[in-house]
Amino acid sequence: YYVDADGTPNILRLFVDPIHRGYGIGRGLVGQLVARAQREKRERIGLLVVRENEDLLGFYRELGFHVCDQTEEFFIMFKELG
């Protein structure tokens, strides 16, 4: 979690070991970071997803993130906290 120059918090390098996936750990961690951003009165929270990682893209969509832009390597996603 870091806040960029325009004041938007971003999730950076969040990993759950494959043997521990499916237990809600990632969902819980993202939920905690979203809650932190809300407590800090942030308007949105962002992250990057490697373009080849379709499963992760779907995971973040389920949590309310939307693709706002893309590069050759990444989807740029945000969740509005309003």
Side-chain angles (χ1 to χ4, degrees):
Y1 184 96
Y2 73 97
V3 179
D4 64 21
D6 73 355
T8 300
N10 292 273
I11 298 171
L12 182 67
R13 294 188 177 144
L14 178 69
F15 297 98
V16 175
D17 189 302
I19 64 171
H20 298 293
R21 292 181 186 161
Y23 296 100
I25 296 167
R27 191 173 302 274
L29 291 170
V30 172
Q32 289 296 315
L33 295 171
V34 167
R36 176 180 171 181
Q38 290 171 320
R39 283 192 309 274
E40 294 173 355
K41 308 278 192 252
R42 307 291 182 176
E43 294 179 17
R44 63 186 186 163
I45 187 167
L47 53 85
L48 301 176
V49 174
V50 176
R51 291 177 62 97
E52 294 84 29
N53 198 335
E54 295 284 329
D55 290 340
L56 191 57
L57 184 65
F59 170 76
Y60 283 117
R61 282 186 168 143
E62 287 177 13
L63 297 179
F65 287 81
H66 302 280
V67 174
C68 297
D69 204 352
Q70 55 190 318
T71 68
E72 279 189 33
E73 295 180 61
F74 300 102
F75 288 110
I76 301 165
M77 303 185 81
F78 289 98
K79 177 182 175 99
E80 299 298 326
L81 303 176

